[in-house]
Amino acid sequence: MKQFKAIINTRVSTPEQLENNSLNRQLESVIKAAEKLGAIIPEDGRWSGSVSSKAGTNVKRKDLLGMLDYCKRHKDVKYAIFDEYDRFMRSGLEGAYFEVLFRELGVKVWFASESDAFNADDAMGRLMRSMGGFKAEASNEERQRKSVSGHEKAIREGRYTFPPKPGYMKGPQPGVHLPDPMTHKALKTAFQDICSGLYSPLEALKKLNQSEFIKAHGAWKMDKFRQFAIDPYYAGILEMNKQVKARNGCGQHQAMISLEEHEQLLRAFNGSIKPRGPKKQYNPDFPMNKVLTCEDCGGDIKFTGSRKNNGYSKKVTKFYYKYHCRGCGKAYHRDEVHQAITERLNQITYTGAQRKDFLEALATVWEKKQKDKLQTIRALEKKLAGLEVTKSGLVLEMARTDEEYKQDIRDEVDKVKAEMAAVTKDIEESSDLQEDLMDFMKFALEYTNMLKDDWWELSHDDRVRCQLLIIPGGISFNSLRKVGTPLISPIYSFQPNKKALRFSRKALMEELAGTAPASIGLFG
């Protein structure tokens, strides 16, 4: 006599059930039931895993559809065994639907931990299974309500009880995520590159995908990058507007960017602002393409480079490289323009005295800022102490208040705790005095000077950044074949080159008359 078969399914819906060895317990139960029914379990007739079974999600469940398909192909399967009804699903309506689908294939759905009466095909058995589906569905709804309430309460406390977002990892305190040492810095740099105006979102994304970040999250596409770039979480704001509806502007996690930077990212990705730098121009033959402006046209019209020939023969071997003004149409040979720019760059310098004066001024300003920070810290500590007194008073009040008013007091305590967390974070941030600022500034001065020296070897983007650092007023060229730099960084000056062929000291002074920038405050 041919022996019939049974297929089995063990399921968990939460990580806690998996950790509690629920799958193994269910497996033992369904194997015993198969033995009691006299059925064998084929090796390919086992389903197991973490699957949601809440109402409305079961019609397309892959495990149940796979079991039905198996039964269609194996006519000797007579039982589909589950441990309990809630391991089958948490929906009475969908449960009855799948029982009918299995029955049409000649398969009986059996529940290993239930009685024979529960599994019977009479009216009482069907009623008991309907009640089992009702209890499972009601239990799931209650668990969802508690879960939503718990998440909302956590957000009011400044805790984010969902999985950590990119750039963060779980910390010792539940819901308070910590910066991930591998990914936090790279993602923060990408966001701040966009805020600086020197990188477009696409450029920042390419840079991010070339960093250590991809080892943890893989290479991102723009839609995913945008999703997180405009997420207020990175500015310290916790906000949920789905099944969980709550908002807290003072999350306990360390913010990656400031609120101002968050607003800049929103504008950048919504298209209301564009990076300040010029569009990329990759023609290596004309490195000043759309960067150099025409002084004769008021300094607003830019030059573009082009390669032309004499046009007399189809077999031309000589080309002429020239920059053309898009306004007046005047053209200048590329080598002539480059030579004039090189001579002007060689005249831009800073002496040891300038460097010394600048750093001394910076130190004076920084010392004042440190004193201001200390005053801020003392004010914040005083505020924190006041909040602690307020919280203690509320706790005492709750102990002697009627039960119907206790929840209101609990809500007030939660608000005070959230405010205390925000003040504590402000104290930590204000305590960071950044004592290495002076070393950084010394490095920055040397860095910009090296950029000037290597002007023609730089990439187009770095050349633009160098110009913004050293010559923020832009570079122009006129019909007298002279280069104009009406505004340079206040820490630089012109030092005429004795060997220069085109500029005498007198001519230089005349050209700069009335164009030199007024005194600019270091932090004005």
Side-chain angles (χ1 to χ4, degrees):
M1 180 178 179
K2 185 177 180 181
Q3 191 171 19
F4 55 86
K5 297 177 181 178
I7 56 176
I8 62 175
N9 189 324
T10 55
R11 183 190 68 82
V12 294
S13 54
T14 66
E16 291 78 10
Q17 291 174 345
L18 189 61
E19 294 173 359
N20 292 336
N21 206 31
S22 176
L23 286 179
N24 287 337
R25 184 195 62 75
Q26 292 179 52
L27 183 61
E28 292 178 3
S29 176
V30 296
I31 289 176
K32 286 182 181 179
E35 292 174 351
K36 181 180 177 181
L37 294 169
I40 61 172
I41 304 172
E43 287 300 319
D44 58 349
R46 300 171 182 239
W47 281 260
S48 180
S50 177
V51 183
S52 172
S53 67
K54 68 179 181 179
T57 64
N58 296 285
V59 174
K60 295 183 179 180
R61 262 177 57 186
K62 291 184 179 180
D63 58 337
L64 295 180
L65 296 178
M67 294 174 74
L68 287 169
D69 181 67
Y70 187 91
C71 293
K72 291 177 184 177
R73 293 183 287 106
H74 299 81
K75 301 300 183 181
D76 51 353
V77 175
K78 299 302 178 184
Y79 291 96
I81 305 177
F82 301 82
D83 181 37
E84 297 175 305
Y85 199 97
D86 63 0
R87 298 303 90 197
F88 176 41
M89 65 182 61
R90 292 180 177 271
S91 169
L93 182 63
E94 291 165 301
Y97 168 75
F98 272 98
E99 277 197 70
V100 172
L101 292 181
F102 277 109
R103 187 181 65 189
E104 290 179 345
L105 297 174
V107 178
K108 166 69 175 174
V109 177
W110 191 271
F111 302 98
S113 294
E114 304 292 353
S115 64
D116 289 344
F118 187 95
N119 287 300
D121 285 328
D122 56 19
M124 181 57 67
R126 287 191 288 272
L127 176 61
M128 293 176 71
R129 290 195 294 278
S130 296
M131 290 299 297
F134 170 78
K135 290 179 180 178
E137 189 169 344
S139 172
N140 198 54
E141 288 179 356
E142 177 65 18
R143 186 173 62 181
Q144 287 176 339
R145 282 194 295 270
K146 289 182 178 179
S147 175
V148 169
S149 177
H151 285 309
E152 291 176 345
K153 181 177 182 294
I155 289 178
R156 289 197 300 270
E157 295 172 353
R159 297 184 296 109
Y160 187 79
T161 48
F162 300 92
K165 292 181 182 284
Y168 290 85
M169 64 181 185
K170 289 183 177 180
Q173 183 180 354
V176 182
H177 300 154
L178 301 178
D180 187 289
M182 179 184 296
T183 61
H184 187 272
K185 184 177 180 181
L187 191 57
K188 179 179 181 179
T189 300
F191 292 160
Q192 292 183 334
D193 281 345
I194 298 172
C195 295
S196 71
L198 297 179
Y199 287 83
S200 68
L202 181 59
E203 292 167 340
L205 176 58
K206 288 181 179 180
K207 185 178 174 183
L208 179 66
N209 284 337
Q210 293 171 354
S211 69
E212 294 288 314
F213 184 84
I214 64 171
K215 292 183 178 180
H217 298 287
W220 276 4
K221 293 184 178 179
M222 181 54 71
D223 57 345
K224 191 168 186 179
F225 184 46
R226 181 185 186 278
Q227 171 192 344
F228 291 107
I230 63 175
D231 192 331
Y233 176 90
Y234 293 98
I237 301 171
L238 303 182
E239 186 175 64
M240 294 295 294
N241 193 28
K242 295 182 180 178
Q243 191 173 12
V244 176
K245 297 181 182 294
R247 188 181 190 279
N248 187 338
C250 300
Q252 294 188 41
H253 64 290
Q254 178 183 326
M256 183 179 288
I257 56 176
S258 67
L259 288 174
E260 292 77 10
E261 289 171 327
H262 173 61
E263 293 295 331
Q264 285 181 290
L265 288 173
L266 287 176
R267 293 195 297 271
F269 280 91
N270 290 334
S272 57
I273 63 170
K274 296 181 179 180
R276 292 192 300 270
K279 294 182 180 179
K280 276 179 173 282
Q281 303 296 325
Y282 291 105
N283 189 343
D285 292 334
F286 298 95
M288 298 301 293
N289 229 12
K290 295 187 179 181
V291 176
L292 186 67
T293 61
C294 180
E295 188 176 325
D296 296 339
C297 293
D300 297 325
I301 308 299
K302 294 180 179 179
F303 284 97
T304 56
S306 62
R307 186 183 70 170
K308 296 185 179 296
N309 56 58
N310 56 23
Y312 293 120
S313 172
K314 294 183 179 180
K315 298 181 179 180
V316 178
T317 57
K318 186 174 182 179
F319 291 93
Y320 299 91
Y321 295 80
K322 292 188 177 183
Y323 284 101
H324 299 261
C325 174
R326 304 176 72 177
C328 62
K330 294 176 182 176
Y332 306 96
H333 197 281
R334 179 189 63 180
D335 295 343
E336 181 181 38
V337 174
H338 288 185
Q339 177 63 27
I341 292 174
T342 298
E343 292 173 359
R344 175 53 63 95
L345 289 173
N346 289 336
Q347 295 165 341
I348 299 176
T349 184
Y350 63 88
T351 65
Q354 287 173 308
R355 182 175 185 275
K356 181 174 178 293
D357 292 343
F358 176 75
L359 292 175
E360 286 178 354
L362 180 65
T364 301
V365 175
W366 190 247
E367 183 179 352
K368 182 180 181 302
K369 283 186 172 287
Q370 303 293 54
K371 291 179 180 178
D372 292 341
K373 274 193 175 183
L374 292 175
Q375 292 178 355
T376 301
I377 291 171
R378 283 195 288 269
L380 289 171
E381 288 174 342
K382 185 176 180 180
K383 182 178 180 180
L384 185 63
L387 289 170
E388 184 66 44
V389 172
T390 302
K391 187 188 77 171
S392 299
L394 288 170
V395 172
L396 290 173
E397 183 67 22
M398 185 167 57
R400 53 176 181 260
T401 301
D402 294 339
E403 189 65 33
E404 61 179 305
Y405 299 112
K406 284 187 176 182
Q407 184 57 48
D408 293 336
I409 298 177
R410 288 192 188 97
D411 292 342
E412 289 301 317
V413 171
D414 290 340
K415 291 178 182 177
V416 173
K417 285 182 178 179
E419 189 174 359
M420 290 175 65
V423 173
T424 301
K425 185 171 71 171
D426 289 341
I427 291 173
E428 291 174 354
E429 292 177 352
S430 298
S431 299
D432 180 13
L433 300 181
Q434 300 183 18
E435 296 176 353
D436 60 345
L437 179 73
M438 300 304 294
D439 289 337
F440 169 76
M441 288 306 302
K442 292 175 184 177
F443 162 77
L445 288 174
E446 296 298 333
Y447 178 69
T448 57
N449 206 41
M450 288 187 290
L451 284 177
K452 177 182 72 69
D453 293 340
D454 296 331
W455 180 270
W456 300 112
E457 282 70 41
L458 297 172
S459 67
H460 183 83
D461 288 344
D462 284 341
R463 190 179 301 107
V464 171
R465 296 184 184 105
C466 180
Q467 177 247 307
L468 291 173
L469 284 167
I470 301 173
I471 317 169
I475 306 174
S476 63
F477 196 77
N478 60 27
S479 56
L480 298 177
R481 271 65 174 179
K482 291 183 178 180
V483 173
T485 50
L487 177 64
I488 63 170
S489 173
I491 63 172
Y492 286 85
S493 67
F494 282 104
Q495 185 69 33
N497 188 345
K498 294 181 180 180
K499 296 182 179 180
L501 299 177
R502 298 187 180 276
F503 300 98
S504 67
R505 182 180 296 270
K506 181 179 179 181
L508 182 62
M509 291 177 66
E510 290 175 351
E511 183 180 350
L512 295 176
T515 62
S519 177
I520 300 176
L522 293 176
F523 295 90

